[in-house]
Amino acid sequence: SGLLAILKLLLNERVSIRNMNQILEAVAEVVAYTRKSELILEQVRSRLAPQICGDLASDGALNVLRLGEKWEMLFHKALRRDAKGEVVQFDIDPPHIEEFCADLKAKAASLQDKGCRFALVTAPEARTYVRMITERLFPALPVLSQVEIARNVQTDTVDSLS
């Protein structure tokens, strides 16, 4: 049932599960340390980085919209941790979410008007929560963590969300 949950999470984010060998290897590596689906998913996504970036890149480059320092810090501060340092809660004020959504709508509309296809890039620990917020506005917008960008992929920063 745990593996099924991971596969569903991948498919919900439009990540192909065709590379089942790498998915199973990544799950096997991390399952000894955690049973949290979100943490396992992040490990799997980092292993699938070349595939994910390859699917999103156009003309050999991956266009990225980066979160600015303001939003990175806000998301980082909203993560509540337990004594072991693991994230146990995401606590952000609703006005901040509304402001983030307004900023994202404006930037995304501007980029889409130009015909630009892009991915939103954030810190690894905040990726899940940024995705949770953005999927309501833009269900097809890929949200990547910085560790999911494969080494051999050229990135072009099209803008910053700050």
Side-chain angles (χ1 to χ4, degrees), residues 11-143:
L11 291 172
N12 283 342
E13 293 194 39
R14 293 176 171 77
V15 175
S16 172
I17 58 171
R18 68 180 179 254
N19 198 341
M20 191 59 73
N21 287 342
Q22 277 197 328
I23 293 170
L24 293 174
E25 286 174 10
V27 169
E29 285 175 1
V30 75
V31 78
Y33 304 106
T34 186
R35 298 282 184 206
K36 289 185 176 183
S37 297
E38 296 84 14
L39 296 176
I40 297 170
L41 174 67
E42 294 308 312
Q43 176 69 20
V44 170
R45 287 179 60 91
S46 68
R47 287 289 295 273
L48 294 176
Q51 172 190 314
I52 292 171
C53 290
D55 291 346
L56 297 174
S58 58
D59 299 328
L62 176 64
N63 295 325
V64 297
L65 172 64
R66 296 196 182 274
L67 281 191
E69 186 177 336
K70 170 188 172 182
W71 292 116
E72 289 286 1
M73 290 301 296
L74 190 69
F75 279 101
H76 178 74
K77 289 179 182 177
L79 300 174
R80 304 290 178 243
R81 300 176 185 278
D82 63 8
K84 295 179 183 177
E86 291 185 20
V87 176
V88 292
Q89 185 181 9
F90 179 68
D91 185 22
I92 192 168
D93 293 329
H96 291 304
I97 293 174
E98 290 174 16
E99 183 183 355
F100 174 76
C101 290
D103 286 355
L104 180 60
K105 279 183 188 178
K107 290 284 185 183
S110 170
L111 291 170
Q112 289 172 345
D113 287 345
K114 296 175 186 174
C116 182
R117 194 172 140 209
F118 63 94
L120 183 62
V121 176
T122 185
E125 60 187 4
R127 193 203 74 80
T128 302
Y129 305 103
V130 172
R131 169 73 180 144
M132 182 176 62
I133 293 169
T134 61
E135 74 182 337
R136 294 182 187 132
L137 297 171
F138 303 100
L141 176 65
V143 179

